[in-house]
Amino acid sequence: MARRGAAALVLALALLAVAPARVGARGAAVEDPNDDIQETWSLEPSYARREPEPEPFSPPLPAGPGAGERGPRPPQPRPPKKATTKPKKAPKREKLAPQTPRPGKNINRKGMRTKSSEKAASDDHGVPLARDAVREGCPPLGLETLKITDFQLHASTSKRYGLGAHRGRLNIQAGINENDFYDGAWCAGRNDLHQWIEVDARRLTKFTGVITQGRNSLWLSDWVTSYKVMVSNDSHTWVTVKNGSGDMIFEGNSEKEIPVLNELPVPMVARYIRINPQSWFDNGSICMRMEILGCPLPDPNNYYHRRNEMTTTDDLDFKHHNHKEMRQLMKVVNEMCPNITRIYNIGKSHQGLKLYAVEISDHPGEHEVGEPEFHYIAGAHGNEVLGRELMLLLMQFLCQEYLAGNLRIVRLVEETRIHILPSLNPDGYEKAYEGGSELGGWSLGRWTHDGIDINNNFPDLNTLLWEAEDRQNIPRKVPNHYIAIPEWFLSENATVAVETRAVIAWMEKIPFVLGGNLQGGELVVAYPYDMVRSLWKTQEHTPTPDDHVFRWLAYSYASTHRLMTDARRRVCHTEDFQKEDGTVNGASWHTVAGSLNDFSYLHTNCFELSIYVGCDKYPHESELPEEWENNRESLIVFMEQVHRGIKGLVRDSHGKGIPNAVISVEGVNHDIRTEVKSPTLIRLFYIYSHAKGSQETRHRWLFKMAFCGKGIRFRSSSS
């Protein structure tokens, strides 16, 4: 937008001044005691001269009017009874260890060199690999992100539909039962040397590498241990990547989950790329998941490119940020908008990294009567990186738009106290960051440093409530709201992460009304309860007394997302959430005891939802602009929901605010309690309580009314 030009320019210049060197900042395990000091970073490149990139190899282009279209395949030769050649070891192989990833493996960070790859390509095969070809490698084509459609994936054979080529995507997850429709890989129908899986890029592409995994399965062990790579321009004539005078055999996987990257010795320009397994695990079958690295060549006449192209007009910092870079970016935003932002931390991680948050409000640091408190939390699972980057983009966007005078954003900032916590598990993120966007697998960095899953590390208050309701205690011994945390959970010996304790203290200190925690690996909004009520069940629809409110809140996000409610989109893994318009009751999906959503609902006044923002937990940097466009409107609309409904002040006959007043709605078995100077969301309306009398702005409401035909009553409580 033209009106944002000045603000965007200031942000861009500020980012150039403070952006830290990515290589130097990686791997810091402990918080720098001087990280609050503004640092100046050198922009000089780490190398003096660029070496010329080798000429990419391209197979001959198809001739004739039918060129470029898929035609009938030539018959395959009959497989030999026994392979007579021993597969040669691929010269360029990268493998990420689960706990101690070696340096130089992140295809997502420029400036990182893959020494083994360069050495192998130059010494063993006489093909000099340009330094920049490794440093500035091509991004993934998008098998994991679903940018590559099912129609672009083909295979020689498959065991059954659920193991077809469309399931051969990096990090795809199998269903619980590994049934016929949703299994965890492409698996060939036969185990011989003539099986293949191929990708149609639908345009000329410079292919630079292949990433492979085995089959995702709880019961079976299937993976490919070596393979050939072939390219074609017409899907009929294929050229195999050579190793000198012979075909190159790339080393594959040694287990089923850790991704393995093989870079091509010379970039190959073609439309199609094919993987041809040569050996596989002795007791298993030919099964694999994969991602292809490649740079699409410019082609303005390409229909598929025009249809799928997504651009953004927002001038934001679209890159991945480690902990130090995240802190620097927060400082830039704070310096641009000092009157509406405040940086603070809610505690420290197990490794001593501060849990930073940014407040955005017209009076930062101050709770205002009548102004609701809202929060976004991201990064509870350290490897679900997209939510973290969306939060950093959101705070930049709000600052820029406020300075540009965007009336919608100005109103939101002036009437809401917004808190953004981008990284609740920074220790886990640093592990995932070292692995990179494609080589971390499905779970590297998910847990805290001491191995705890923050998302289900909160006290289980559901069981306390439901057991009391089953006993039908009258008078009620366990309240239906503000349920106390059990003493065992508060014990120092309890298995509770320091990050969990920090966020609980934060939620008890600030009277949040509405919140969303951003997660990854799916595309859906989940609302409580997250835990099933029936014993021995893993899936069961378990609504809260405020189910209609939660459904609306979830739908407000999903319906404004670019893809969540698109009935044409492919499911991420196994679940199709279109029947509920991109939303789901958490317990009907999979039960989780001690979730953040359930705890927030039963222990505080905050209505909390889980927002799964993308199929790919850790998308490549090049995908961030499109992911921002997918989620931007939804992020804003969801914040605006905090202002829906009725609001007012609870006072006594003398005009004094009544703290700890319990508000009940007849027929809804969940009460809300006021606090001093705090807003409270209740059934889509708010109750504000304060104790300063005439010093505060007076909003008088008559509560002798009906809500949805049900009576509303108030009672004071000394507890």
Side-chain angles (χ1 to χ4, degrees):
M1 298 179 191
R3 55 192 172 82
R4 301 201 308 265
L9 179 61
V10 173
L11 178 58
L13 294 175
L15 289 172
L16 286 176
V18 302
R22 297 182 72 83
V23 176
R26 68 187 288 270
V30 182
E31 184 90 15
D32 184 351
N34 298 319
D35 72 341
D36 288 338
I37 300 176
Q38 187 74 32
E39 301 185 39
T40 303
W41 299 91
S42 173
L43 298 178
E44 185 175 348
S46 58
Y47 52 92
R49 293 181 302 173
R50 291 188 175 184
E51 299 179 12
E53 185 174 342
E55 188 76 20
F57 176 82
S58 177
L61 291 171
E69 299 180 2
R70 295 188 58 87
R73 302 186 181 279
Q76 296 286 354
R78 295 182 63 184
K81 294 182 180 179
K82 184 176 181 181
T84 57
T85 58
K86 184 178 180 180
K88 298 178 183 179
K89 198 170 185 178
K92 300 201 307 169
R93 173 177 182 267
E94 296 187 24
K95 182 176 179 181
L96 181 66
Q99 286 83 20
T100 56
R102 295 184 297 174
K105 302 299 173 64
N106 190 350
I107 63 174
N108 196 38
R109 281 170 282 164
K110 297 180 181 179
M112 301 303 298
R113 296 186 59 183
T114 310
K115 297 181 180 178
S116 60
S117 298
E118 290 189 41
K119 186 175 186 300
S122 59
D123 296 350
D124 297 349
H125 310 289
V127 181
L129 183 63
R131 190 179 303 172
D132 294 337
V134 176
R135 176 181 290 113
E136 300 181 10
C138 291
L141 291 188
L143 275 78
E144 184 175 7
T145 62
L146 306 184
K147 186 173 284 187
I148 296 294
T149 68
D150 289 351
F151 298 105
Q152 294 174 258
L153 299 173
H154 308 275
S156 53
T157 61
S158 59
K159 283 190 174 182
R160 49 186 170 82
Y161 177 78
L163 294 169
H166 65 290
R167 301 296 294 176
R169 301 173 181 272
L170 190 72
N171 287 322
I172 202 165
Q173 302 296 294
I176 297 177
N177 301 318
E178 298 182 19
N179 56 35
D180 184 56
F181 294 101
Y182 302 113
D183 219 314
W186 161 69
C187 289
R190 300 185 299 271
N191 289 338
D192 59 46
L193 299 180
H194 299 279
Q195 304 305 308
W196 48 261
I197 180 172
E198 75 179 45
V199 180
D200 176 6
R202 286 180 170 167
R203 62 186 298 183
L204 286 180
T205 301
K206 182 175 72 173
F207 298 113
T208 60
V210 177
I211 303 173
T212 59
Q213 277 176 313
R215 177 181 179 179
N216 176 251
S217 173
L218 294 174
W219 323 110
L220 301 173
S221 297
D222 299 316
W223 60 83
V224 170
T225 56
S226 68
Y227 58 88
K228 293 181 182 180
V229 176
M230 296 176 280
V231 296
S232 172
N233 280 320
D234 59 5
S235 78
H236 294 287
T237 304
W238 293 88
V239 175
T240 304
V241 175
K242 297 294 183 182
N243 173 14
S245 59
D247 296 345
M248 176 178 288
I249 307 295
F250 292 91
E251 186 176 350
N253 299 81
S254 58
E255 59 88 68
K256 56 188 176 183
E257 288 298 336
I258 300 176
V260 174
L261 165 65
N262 281 293
E263 291 174 322
L264 305 186
V266 173
M268 307 290 285
V269 176
R271 171 174 168 173
Y272 302 89
I273 185 168
R274 177 180 286 186
I275 310 301
N276 172 215
Q278 296 295 295
S279 61
W280 44 94
F281 180 56
D282 290 341
N283 298 322
S285 302
I286 296 178
C287 295
M288 67 189 313
R289 295 172 285 170
M290 66 177 186
E291 181 63 84
I292 305 297
L293 308 184
C295 296
L297 300 185
D299 184 4
N301 297 320
N302 189 291
Y303 164 74
Y304 296 106
H305 173 66
R306 294 199 312 272
R307 185 183 66 175
N308 296 322
E309 187 176 15
M310 169 57 63
T311 58
T312 180
T313 59
D314 296 325
D315 188 9
L316 307 175
D317 191 26
F318 293 106
K319 72 171 188 177
H320 289 297
H321 301 78
N322 64 19
H323 190 74
K324 194 169 187 178
E325 293 168 337
M326 179 186 74
R327 169 62 173 142
Q328 292 284 4
L329 181 59
M330 288 179 171
K331 292 175 69 174
V332 170
V333 174
N334 178 243
E335 289 168 2
M336 281 188 62
C337 298
N339 295 329
I340 62 167
T341 62
R342 177 177 70 99
I343 303 172
Y344 65 100
N345 72 81
I346 68 169
K348 291 185 177 181
S349 70
H350 187 277
Q351 290 291 88
L353 298 177
K354 292 180 181 178
L355 307 179
Y356 287 113
V358 169
E359 176 192 341
I360 301 177
S361 173
D362 58 341
H363 293 89
E366 176 185 349
H367 173 80
E368 299 178 73
V369 173
E371 185 167 294
E373 307 263 2
F374 175 92
H375 74 248
Y376 273 129
I377 299 173
H381 296 146
N383 64 332
E384 294 172 5
V385 177
L386 178 56
R388 169 192 175 108
E389 295 304 328
L390 288 176
M391 292 297 94
L392 298 180
L393 293 169
L394 178 63
M395 64 179 67
Q396 296 174 65
F397 179 79
L398 293 177
C399 174
Q400 286 186 8
E401 294 298 299
Y402 184 86
L403 294 178
N406 184 325
L407 294 180
R408 182 186 185 190
I409 301 303
V410 170
R411 186 183 306 110
L412 182 65
V413 170
E414 292 182 349
E415 297 179 359
T416 320
R417 193 179 181 204
I418 303 166
H419 302 259
I420 299 175
L421 179 63
S423 186
L424 182 55
N425 181 10
D427 297 346
Y429 173 80
E430 293 299 303
K431 290 182 182 179
Y433 181 80
E434 289 187 14
S437 64
E438 309 306 318
L439 300 182
W442 188 249
S443 59
L444 180 68
R446 174 184 176 90
W447 300 279
T448 63
H449 184 77
D450 46 347
I452 296 175
D453 186 336
I454 297 178
N455 193 50
N456 58 351
N457 191 224
F458 293 84
D460 173 15
L461 304 182
N462 304 57
T463 301
L464 296 177
L465 173 65
W466 293 336
E467 287 180 349
E469 289 179 347
D470 291 340
R471 290 193 298 265
Q472 297 181 346
N473 292 327
I474 300 176
R476 188 168 54 202
K477 294 183 179 180
V478 177
N480 63 12
H481 71 294
Y482 267 57
I483 300 175
I485 297 175
E487 292 185 6
W488 66 265
F489 188 90
L490 302 174
S491 162
E492 293 183 0
N493 297 326
T495 307
V496 181
V498 293
E499 296 88 348
T500 305
R501 295 191 188 277
V503 79
I504 289 176
W506 183 52
M507 295 177 71
E508 290 180 333
K509 180 180 179 180
I510 300 177
F512 292 114
V513 173
L514 179 63
N517 57 88
L518 273 60
Q519 302 189 44
E522 264 297 351
L523 202 55
V524 67
V525 181
Y527 54 89
Y529 288 123
D530 289 332
M531 180 180 176
V532 298
R533 183 162 186 168
S534 301
L535 296 176
W536 315 115
K537 286 190 177 182
T538 58
Q539 293 176 308
E540 182 184 49
H541 183 71
T542 311
T544 66
D546 291 290
D547 187 60
H548 61 290
V549 179
F550 278 114
R551 283 176 177 272
W552 168 256
L553 293 171
Y555 183 72
S556 70
Y557 193 100
S559 62
T560 50
H561 189 279
R562 286 188 62 250
L563 299 174
M564 276 191 190
T565 56
D566 185 353
R568 299 168 298 174
R569 75 171 182 89
R570 183 195 186 282
V571 299
C572 291
H573 300 282
T574 64
E575 301 284 348
D576 185 359
F577 299 109
Q578 292 307 310
K579 59 185 178 181
E580 292 189 41
D581 295 318
T583 69
V584 66
N585 172 256
S588 67
W589 182 13
H590 55 260
T591 185
V592 175
S595 74
L596 172 58
N597 294 346
D598 290 1
F599 169 79
S600 178
Y601 181 66
L602 295 176
H603 183 69
T604 75
N605 285 333
C606 182
F607 282 30
E608 184 91 16
L609 293 86
S610 292
I611 304 169
Y612 293 79
V613 291
C615 301
D616 190 350
K617 292 182 177 182
Y618 194 159
H620 189 269
E621 208 165 77
S622 61
E623 299 291 334
L624 294 179
E626 182 170 349
E627 293 294 353
W628 167 246
E629 287 296 318
N630 289 342
N631 288 277
R632 178 185 58 192
E633 180 66 15
S634 300
L635 291 168
I636 298 171
V637 167
F638 188 71
M639 287 190 289
E640 291 173 334
Q641 302 312 301
V642 80
H643 293 286
R644 294 184 68 88
I646 305 169
K647 39 185 153 181
L649 297 173
V650 179
R651 296 175 176 174
D652 60 18
S653 58
H654 302 288
K656 185 178 180 181
I658 305 175
N660 296 319
V662 176
I663 300 96
S664 300
V665 175
E666 185 178 336
V668 178
N669 189 26
H670 183 79
D671 299 338
I672 292 294
R673 183 175 304 195
T674 65
E675 297 180 21
V676 176
K677 300 190 300 179
S678 68
T680 301
L681 171 67
I682 169 174
R683 265 63 75 185
L684 286 183
F685 68 92
Y686 310 96
I687 303 298
Y688 299 100
S689 170
H690 70 88
K692 291 188 177 181
S694 60
Q695 297 180 13
E696 301 290 347
T697 303
R698 294 178 178 268
H699 297 283
R700 295 188 176 275
W701 294 80
L702 295 177
F703 288 103
K704 293 181 180 179
M705 56 180 294
F707 180 77
C708 295
K710 299 176 181 178
I712 301 176
R713 64 182 183 277
F714 299 92
R715 64 178 184 274
S716 60
S717 172
S718 59
S719 59

